[in-house]
Amino acid sequence: MASLPSIANNPDIRYLGTLLGDVIRDYGGEALFEATETIRRASVERHRNGGDGATVDLQLERLDLDETIDFVRGFMLFSMLANLAEDRQGIAAEQGADVAAALERLAGQGIDRAQVTALLSEALVMPVLTAHPTEVRRKSMIDHRNRIAELMAMRDAGRTETTDGDAVDEAIQRQVALLWQTRALRRERLGVADEVETTLSYLRDVFLPAMPALYQRWDRALGGRVPSFLKPGSWIGGDRDGNPNVTADSLTLALARAAETVIGHYLDTLHALGAELSISSLRAQVDPAVLALADASGDTAASRQDEPFRRAISGIYARLAATYQALTGNAPPRPGALTGARYPDPQAFRADLVAIARALATRGGGTLGSSGALGRLIRAVDIFGFHLATLDLRQNSAVHERVVAELLSVAGVERDYAALDEAARVALLRRELASPRPLTDPYHGYSDETASELGVVRAAGAAHARYGAACIARYICSMGKSVSDLLEIHLLLKEAGLYRPGAAGEAPQAAVMAVPLFETIEDLEAAPGIMAGWFALPEVAALARRRGNQEVMIGYSDSNKDGGYLTSTWSLSKASTALAPVFAEAGVRMQLFHGRGGAVGRGGGSSFSAIRAQPHGTVQGRIRITEQGEVIAAKYGTRESAMTNLEAMASAAILASLEPPQLSERESATFADAMDRLSGAAFRHYRELVYGSDDFRTFFRQMTPIAEIANLKIGSRPASRTKSDRIEDLRAIPWVFSWAQARVMLPGWYGVGQAIAAFEDKPLLAEMAAGWPFFAATLANLEMVLAKSDMAVAARYADLVEPGLRRHFDTIRDAWSLTEAGLLAATGQSRLLEKSPALEASIRLRLPYIEPLNLLQIELMKRHRAGEQDERIGEGILLSINAIATGLRNSG
């Protein structure tokens, strides 16, 4: 084994770790502190010696159940604080992942700022927050963590006191003490309303202030106002796929709360602006447009008669307060003294703000109107409107089929829609879509499923009328497998007035775009043909060309569970490449929506590298990416980390859209052929292991804590789509999460080692790793997963399995060794992460804190599965799951 370099904690980790130790001693007692320290030192020493289990006794068996729970809590909090320290030190920030660096790189390739601005005028980059349940920490824990980050920033600035007069160091210690005493586990399963509120906290506290500030930076870099191409999206309240808890009511709630949040933010900003803009007409000449706003405001206070900007803002505030009440049904938090007519849309509100900004910009060199709070408010209105984040609808195609079949049957149009072949379905749906006649009968009692789906689209129609079309722009069809699947969405939208047939000779109108989600390997292969058939319909082609783009979503999670890491990654790339000419022929801009998760097995890893590794010509300035679970807190927990990650996404999209191809045609063909062979081999080995024998699912459920994870109250969605225990029916999230807990990480690497071992041209693999961004990113994510896995720890989980099934673990362990050897050979390294020292140090720092948690989890699982009833055993298991996930970071 190659010798490992020594690693040193960064100063923040040492500082926070010391505070945590003090808190454990103060609140848990000296005995707990000494026991924790003994285990910590022993585990660190063990890993210093290369993880040789024979060299050190961790003495875990000496802990009773109460001590076990406290010990797990301590190690979990250390991992949380270490994550915070690394984020503050910029460990997650990538070199060159900012717009200024992208502009410099493009300039070196002959691409000027005017070309970048032209791209951005048609661009859309959108992180989409979802409620996928992989965030194991309570929001209260995250809030304390974020407060510590704020206090650490004060400490960096040399401040010794907070604005409230508290000593900064003491305030940090208080937050750590609060973390220690805060319940880490949820008592009740999250509901959709809880998920809505959690997401709103990120949008309100982070996105609302961070995004306008980013644009100010980009305006300076590009020398002019940058188009508002980066905007947030959300699934929370609209994603019904497999979640019966999402209904019309939850959709209405999500949209109403978003409007309250964003308009409330505007009101607060206006209030502060009114205090700031104290310009007197006795000291400055005032633009007629501002005077008109002031005179129309109704503000007759004598103290403000010579302050037209304040009077104008009073009127704007009154109109916005009326808008708040009209859209939310509630009185504004700070009612104004004046009354006004509501704004019909965000554009009218923006126009009044722009009138003030232009007036300020005409005097004194434009200093007052160039940026500042008013400029950020105008930018915020551009980005967030009155809806805050664009909400997607999503449902499974099988549900649509049943609902449409019932509608057609009740209307007397078609008795057995499900029995029709694809051509007959398309013909029937097109006829119905061409007719203005609604299908629904207001007097018929539809099934609960159909009534629920109709309720959702009608709620969407009402939302469009209330908040504007930007509030809901897309309806995603999960498991999209045909043109009829998309037409069924149009038929449902038509019942809510969101799809309107065109009059004679006119194209139809669709206020919401139907978006197919291709998830399995088979679906990805079929995607180009389905989209060609979609665009072959004249009315669809006309809709897409009028809109200017058509979105296609590609799923990482289910394609990985279906075909393994390498085949999933390559199939997604090939599907993207194959879709591009279909869109080009239709004359429609392609917009890919990448359904990524946090773990590598679900598309996780660096967004910057992933976007830059997309096939040439497939980004085109437009890309959407899901942000899920624990990734949301990691990337967007603070304004600083959010700005870093949002800018990385934006700069990567710019580079991927404008940079010339990095491979020659010969290299592209050669590398693609090699990937086809590697993918084919990896697919065969993965399928043989996971789906080749009936008892593998039993092995999986015995070896991993999948059953215990189901008891974690971390989301509103069930773990499986059905009551079946088949792996095919298990959701990708618990599949990946369970393997991570057992330190196998199988979805992120299995099959790759066998494929590399069988590939004869090893120098070609090295060439691909060095010169092809796609392959380099694929191997980088694979390498991270291998570094976080541990076959020695996994072997202890395998001891939970009945002897007759142990052979599956032997196969996995041998494959892991093959994968490690193949990766090292392809990348020219002597050990994992040799060329990534910061990541290596980060992972190696955590391993001594994760392994004892794994060992304790195993012992608790043994006792639980043996029938012991002590509640502390179940609590300890769930707490260990929480702690291991925190230490591994991107494990779900």
Side-chain angles (χ1 to χ4, degrees):
M1 177 179 178
S3 61
L4 298 175
S6 61
I7 59 171
N9 293 351
N10 72 45
D12 284 354
I13 293 179
R14 286 198 298 273
Y15 170 73
L16 292 170
T18 299
L19 289 183
L20 177 60
D22 292 341
V23 164
I24 292 174
R25 181 187 281 113
D26 292 343
Y27 290 88
E30 189 68 30
L32 175 65
F33 173 79
E34 290 298 334
T36 301
E37 264 299 286
T38 298
I39 295 169
R40 187 193 69 80
R41 285 194 297 264
S43 189
V44 169
E45 182 63 27
R46 174 174 176 161
H47 280 267
R48 229 175 243 147
N49 295 334
D52 183 358
T55 60
V56 179
D57 176 14
L58 296 183
Q59 303 181 26
L60 295 173
E61 70 282 353
R62 300 183 184 182
L63 299 174
D64 62 28
L65 280 175
D66 288 329
E67 290 170 333
T68 293
I69 290 172
D70 283 338
F71 169 80
V72 171
R73 173 185 294 276
F75 268 37
M76 174 194 68
L77 292 181
F78 175 83
S79 294
M80 178 184 288
L81 295 173
N83 294 345
L84 165 63
E86 289 188 351
D87 291 343
R88 283 174 31 77
Q89 295 295 328
I91 298 295
E94 296 168 85
Q95 183 120 13
D98 58 84
V99 168
L103 294 175
E104 184 178 347
R105 181 182 178 92
L106 291 171
Q109 298 168 340
I111 300 167
D112 60 24
R113 281 164 167 70
Q115 291 169 276
V116 175
T117 302
L119 170 78
L120 297 182
S121 67
E122 300 291 333
L124 175 69
V125 176
M126 181 177 284
V128 180
L129 308 183
T130 82
H132 284 56
T134 61
E135 173 56 86
V136 293
R137 296 170 297 177
R138 289 180 65 211
K139 184 64 167 56
S140 297
M141 303 286 284
I142 296 172
D143 289 342
H144 288 307
R145 180 255 191 210
N146 290 343
R147 178 56 180 160
I148 292 171
E150 294 172 3
L151 291 165
M152 291 292 286
M154 295 181 195
R155 192 171 181 267
D156 291 344
R159 292 175 56 181
T160 58
E161 289 187 355
T162 69
T163 53
D164 297 323
D166 293 331
V168 169
D169 285 336
E170 291 179 6
I172 295 172
Q173 185 160 11
R174 273 200 297 275
Q175 290 298 317
V176 176
L178 286 167
L179 275 173
W180 175 257
Q181 297 178 94
T182 297
R183 174 169 43 84
L185 300 174
R186 299 183 181 94
R187 293 196 182 279
E188 303 294 334
R189 182 171 292 278
L190 282 178
V192 179
D194 300 313
E195 293 167 341
V196 167
E197 292 305 318
T198 297
T199 304
L200 283 176
S201 71
Y202 287 103
L203 291 167
R204 178 189 63 241
D205 300 336
V206 177
F207 282 76
L208 271 169
M211 290 182 112
L214 264 181
Y215 277 103
Q216 285 190 315
R217 182 188 301 172
W218 298 341
D219 288 347
R220 291 191 295 270
L222 278 160
R225 184 174 175 82
V226 174
S228 298
F229 69 99
L230 176 70
K231 299 181 179 182
S234 173
W235 273 12
I236 302 165
D239 177 15
R240 310 187 306 290
D241 183 15
N243 190 348
N245 301 307
V246 177
T247 63
D249 288 342
S250 59
L251 176 67
T252 301
L253 170 69
L255 293 166
R257 289 289 294 116
E260 284 182 13
T261 299
V262 69
I263 302 175
H265 172 79
Y266 297 158
L267 286 169
D268 289 343
T269 307
L270 276 174
H271 181 75
L273 273 172
E276 178 181 319
L277 294 180
S278 57
I279 299 168
S280 169
S281 57
L282 302 177
R283 298 286 302 158
Q285 184 176 350
V286 181
D287 188 271
V290 173
L291 290 174
L293 286 170
D295 292 343
S297 69
D299 186 351
T300 59
S303 60
R304 290 189 291 273
Q305 284 311 294
D306 68 326
E307 297 174 338
F309 285 92
R310 280 182 166 170
R311 291 169 53 221
I313 287 176
S314 294
I316 295 171
Y317 188 98
R319 293 194 65 187
L320 191 63
T323 306
Y324 181 98
Q325 185 148 10
L327 295 188
T328 68
N330 300 317
R334 186 190 292 111
L338 306 175
T339 59
R342 62 165 286 191
Y343 283 110
D345 50 47
Q347 291 71 34
F349 172 46
R350 183 186 188 278
D352 284 352
L353 298 176
V354 169
I356 293 177
R358 284 177 177 162
L360 292 171
T362 58
R363 300 184 60 79
T367 302
L368 294 177
S370 59
S371 56
L374 179 57
R376 289 192 295 274
L377 177 56
I378 293 170
R379 177 67 78 174
V381 177
D382 285 345
I383 300 168
F384 305 108
F386 288 160
H387 62 283
L388 184 58
T390 298
L391 183 64
D392 292 349
L393 304 180
R394 184 171 79 124
Q395 183 55 284
N396 195 286
S397 61
V399 175
H400 297 147
E401 179 182 319
R402 293 193 295 269
V403 169
V404 167
E406 183 174 355
L407 293 178
L408 292 170
S409 177
V410 170
V413 175
E414 172 55 52
R415 185 180 60 82
D416 192 359
Y417 174 76
L420 300 180
D421 62 21
E422 175 65 6
R425 289 188 184 193
V426 168
L428 171 58
L429 293 170
R430 291 181 70 194
R431 287 196 301 272
E432 285 301 316
L433 287 168
S435 168
R437 168 183 57 85
L439 275 177
T440 49
D441 178 353
Y443 304 106
H444 181 79
Y446 290 99
S447 67
D448 289 345
E449 181 177 62
T450 295
S452 178
E453 293 302 307
L454 289 172
V456 167
V457 293
R458 286 168 178 157
H464 269 228
R466 180 178 289 264
Y467 308 111
C471 70
I472 299 172
R474 299 163 192 86
Y475 191 135
I476 297 163
C477 178
S478 297
M479 292 295 174
K481 297 178 183 294
S482 65
V483 169
S484 63
D485 287 341
L486 299 178
L487 290 174
E488 287 167 2
I489 289 177
H490 279 173
L491 195 69
L492 293 174
L493 293 172
K494 177 169 167 273
E495 294 302 307
L498 295 173
Y499 180 98
R500 297 180 183 275
E506 295 182 0
Q509 297 179 9
V512 175
M513 184 196 312
V515 176
L517 168 51
F518 300 114
E519 299 180 77
T520 66
I521 303 298
E522 182 181 357
D523 292 344
L524 290 167
E525 292 172 349
I530 293 171
M531 295 312 297
W534 181 238
F535 291 134
L537 305 181
E539 64 273 29
V540 167
L543 268 176
R545 283 193 287 269
R546 174 185 290 177
R547 187 189 306 116
N549 64 84
Q550 167 68 48
E551 182 168 286
V552 170
M553 186 173 183
I554 50 178
Y556 288 67
S557 301
D558 283 290
S559 62
N560 178 285
K561 186 162 70 74
D562 182 38
Y565 172 63
L566 196 67
T567 300
S568 168
T569 304
W570 181 232
S571 296
L572 289 159
S573 179
K574 287 209 304 181
S576 302
T577 301
L579 282 166
V582 173
F583 279 72
E585 184 174 343
V588 176
R589 187 188 294 266
M590 181 169 71
Q591 179 172 299
L592 291 179
F593 183 13
H594 296 260
R596 289 161 50 94
V600 167
R602 297 181 50 243
S606 162
S607 294
F608 181 72
S609 297
I611 294 172
R612 293 201 63 201
Q614 293 304 305
H616 182 70
T618 62
V619 177
Q620 303 175 22
R622 303 187 71 87
I623 189 168
R624 298 205 306 148
I625 297 176
T626 54
E627 301 285 24
Q628 304 180 1
E630 78 280 9
V631 171
I632 295 176
K635 294 174 68 171
Y636 307 113
T638 66
R639 296 180 193 182
E640 293 74 20
S641 62
M643 290 176 72
T644 296
N645 285 289
L646 290 169
E647 182 154 32
M649 189 181 297
S651 60
I654 292 170
L655 289 170
S657 301
L658 292 176
E659 280 195 297
Q662 299 189 37
L663 299 179
S664 67
E665 289 187 13
R666 182 197 64 80
E667 288 173 323
S668 294
T670 301
F671 293 173
D673 177 68
M675 276 303 303
D676 280 338
R677 286 181 281 156
L678 288 167
S679 173
F683 179 79
R684 288 192 299 273
H685 285 283
Y686 175 84
R687 295 288 301 187
E688 181 181 354
L689 175 74
V690 176
Y691 300 105
S693 57
D694 290 338
D695 60 9
F696 185 82
R697 61 183 173 183
T698 304
F699 163 78
F700 161 65
R701 292 184 179 277
Q702 290 183 2
M703 179 176 172
T704 73
I706 176 65
E708 290 76 11
I709 287 170
N711 292 323
L712 273 177
K713 298 173 175 61
I714 60 176
S716 63
R717 294 205 312 174
S720 290
R721 290 186 171 91
T722 71
K723 295 182 179 180
S724 161
D725 70 346
R726 298 191 321 150
I727 292 172
E728 292 91 333
D729 295 322
L730 182 70
R731 292 192 181 280
I733 291 170
W735 166 254
V736 171
F737 197 40
S738 301
W739 286 117
Q741 288 284 313
R743 301 295 298 285
V744 179
M745 309 281 191
L746 181 139
W749 60 267
Y750 192 85
V752 181
Q754 300 97 312
I756 291 177
F759 194 82
E760 295 180 355
D761 192 350
K762 298 298 194 294
L764 177 59
L765 296 182
E767 183 183 348
M768 292 162 61
W772 188 15
F774 166 80
F775 197 58
T778 299
L779 293 184
N781 289 333
L782 173 72
E783 185 175 11
M784 179 180 67
V785 168
L786 292 176
K788 290 184 177 182
S789 60
D790 188 318
M791 288 301 107
V793 173
R796 302 287 291 272
Y797 282 89
D799 290 340
L800 298 170
V801 175
E802 59 190 79
L805 301 179
R806 176 79 186 210
R807 71 185 190 281
H808 291 304
F809 178 70
D810 296 336
T811 299
I812 291 169
R813 181 168 50 193
D814 292 344
W816 188 94
S817 298
L818 272 179
T819 308
E820 180 192 35
L823 182 135
L824 294 178
T827 58
Q829 299 179 107
S830 62
R831 67 174 189 277
L832 294 175
L833 301 176
E834 183 178 10
K835 296 179 180 178
S836 304
L839 181 57
E840 179 187 34
S842 171
I843 292 175
R844 285 183 54 205
L845 169 71
R846 282 166 171 69
L847 295 182
Y849 295 86
I850 299 173
E851 182 175 347
L853 297 170
N854 286 122
L855 300 178
L856 285 172
Q857 184 184 86
I858 291 165
E859 290 307 309
L860 292 170
M861 287 168 62
K862 285 180 181 177
R863 296 173 65 174
H864 177 69
R865 292 178 181 184
E868 290 194 39
Q869 299 298 312
D870 194 311
E871 290 183 359
R872 293 172 296 176
I873 293 175
E875 181 184 357
I877 292 172
L878 298 182
L879 196 59
S880 71
I881 292 171
N882 187 309
I884 292 167
T886 300
L888 291 172
R889 302 206 77 171
N890 54 348
S891 62

